[in-house]
Amino acid sequence: MNNILNNLEYQFLKTNNVLGKNIQLLTYGGSKAYGTNLPTSDTDVRGVATNSPESILNYKDFEIYTNPDTDTSVYSLNKFFGLLAECNPNIMEIVSVRPQDILYITDIGKEIIKNKNLFISTRCANTFGGYANQQLYRLQQKTLVALSPEEYNNHIARVINNMQEHLDSRWGITGIRIISTKEGLQANLEKCSIPAENLAGIINEVNNVIRAYNKESKRNKRAMDKGKIQKHAMHLIRLYQQGTELLLTREFCTYREKDHDLLMSIRNGEFTKDNKMTDEFFNLVKSEEKRFNKAKSVTKLPALPDYEAINELQRKINKQIIFGGIK
């Protein structure tokens, strides 16, 4: 393993029962992976581990192991493939880092990276657009660009409606829309078909989003005092740029070499005045959003990932784990 992983604080990677020899890939995450880190930036580590032969045969899955002290997150293969098929930006970053940002890799890890294009689809339009929308909301709140109750509810409605494909695939619904009215948020169920047994789960997911945003509002002042507004602003632009790139070229680059100077100028406060982002920055946001929406309209990405090939890859890896041959 890479020298950094030999440090005492990372020994859990070798000794933990679900990690150890099951780890197939470890990389830098966060700002070090993007190339936007500062001297004071934390070191994030992200990775993938297969389940043990016993867990595979008994259909057990640890899903994710986190170590907050070292900002380390290791996903199980099952969880990782599921999130990758949803085009989750945080997960796509792991298989798209520069070679020098890979801390540890096995033959299985190489196989995962080799086949990363199997997971790419137009779902990335919703995930990258949704993540960018969340960053914009946080930025508006934390820079004291006040949101009216109507703007606040409109934002939450957009977030929930962006979850439509996820809700459809998980709960088997069609046609549900959340709308913002003078009375607050309402669910439009006129053309919606929901299996009765799934209704409670859907309501719980929607409520989780609303509770998360209400909780986030209480943190705004504390986050502003910690100087995180520039970081949110930088990630907003980064997400739009990465999403546009993916939609147009089918390529995803974690390290932002071409965008580096612009992103760092945002993070270093060149678009900030009096704890607020400048008009110039929000004009940049509108420009990047326009490019992103244009890319959505002309993309040639498939509507869905190649599930047949993904399932075959997972079977192949699990067979290697059970019958040996891991390097």
Side-chain angles (χ1 to χ4, degrees), residues 240-257:
Y240 272 139
Q241 290 176 334
Q242 286 180 315
T244 300
E245 182 180 277
L246 183 59
L247 287 163
L248 293 179
T249 69
R250 201 180 180 128
E251 295 294 328
F252 181 88
C253 298
T254 304
Y255 186 79
R256 308 311 299 164
E257 183 175 7

Side-chain angles (χ1 to χ4, degrees), residues 140-305:
Q140 288 173 319
Q141 290 291 81
K142 290 172 182 177
T143 57
L144 302 183
V145 179
L147 292 179
S148 67
E150 181 181 6
E151 290 171 326
Y152 180 78
N153 286 332
N154 279 336
H155 172 83
I156 296 178
R158 285 175 63 188
V159 170
I160 296 173
N161 289 331
N162 278 337
M163 295 168 56
Q164 180 68 46
E165 187 173 343
H166 161 72
L167 294 174
D168 185 18
S169 62
R170 181 170 184 180
W171 300 108
I173 69 169
T174 56
I176 186 172
R177 297 295 293 175
I178 303 298
I179 57 176
S180 176
T181 70
K182 293 181 179 179
E183 290 75 33
L185 290 169
Q186 295 189 11
N188 184 346
L189 305 177
E190 184 176 347
K191 298 180 180 180
C192 183
S193 174
I194 305 176
E197 64 270 20
N198 293 344
L199 188 57
I202 297 167
I203 292 173
N204 184 56
E205 290 212 37
V206 172
N207 280 336
N208 283 342
V209 172
I210 295 173
R211 281 195 297 267
Y213 275 96
N214 289 338
K215 186 177 181 180
E216 180 70 23
S217 294
K218 297 177 182 179
R219 296 175 176 171
N220 290 334
K221 180 60 168 62
R222 183 166 64 251
M224 185 187 71
D225 291 341
K226 291 183 177 180
K228 293 184 178 180
I229 56 173
Q230 292 89 353
K231 191 173 181 180
H232 285 299
M234 179 190 68
H235 287 315
L236 167 58
I237 298 301
R238 174 185 61 79
L239 285 161
Y240 272 139
Q241 290 176 334
Q242 286 180 315
T244 300
E245 182 180 277
L246 183 59
L247 287 163
L248 293 179
T249 69
R250 201 180 180 128
E251 295 294 328
F252 181 88
C253 298
T254 304
Y255 186 79
R256 308 311 299 164
E257 183 175 7
K258 293 181 180 179
D259 313 322
H260 177 269
D261 291 348
L262 173 62
L263 294 176
M264 292 306 294
S265 69
I266 297 170
R267 183 162 194 180
N268 289 329
E270 294 180 28
F271 290 83
T272 310
K273 185 177 180 180
D274 299 327
N275 271 337
K276 294 183 180 181
M277 303 308 296
T278 62
D279 290 341
E280 183 183 4
F281 173 76
F282 286 108
N283 288 335
L284 177 62
V285 172
K286 291 177 183 178
S287 175
E288 291 295 341
E289 184 179 24
K290 184 177 180 180
R291 288 182 63 242
F292 179 76
N293 288 333
K294 175 66 175 178
K296 286 198 298 184
S297 69
V298 300
T299 184
K300 295 182 180 179
L301 294 182
L304 294 172

Side-chain angles (χ1 to χ4, degrees), residues 24 50-51 56 77-78 81 107-115 118 307-327:
Q24 308 299 336
T50 47
N51 285 300
I56 294 171
L77 185 70
N78 295 343
F81 274 14
D107 286 348
I108 287 177
K110 292 175 183 177
E111 191 75 7
I112 294 170
I113 292 176
K114 177 183 175 182
N115 288 280
L118 299 177
Y307 281 118
E308 183 176 348
I310 291 170
N311 290 336
E312 178 57 33
L313 175 62
Q314 189 162 5
R315 284 193 292 268
K316 176 182 175 182
I317 292 173
N318 283 338
K319 284 175 67 176
Q320 282 185 270
I321 300 300
I322 294 172
F323 298 111
I326 305 173
K327 295 182 180 179

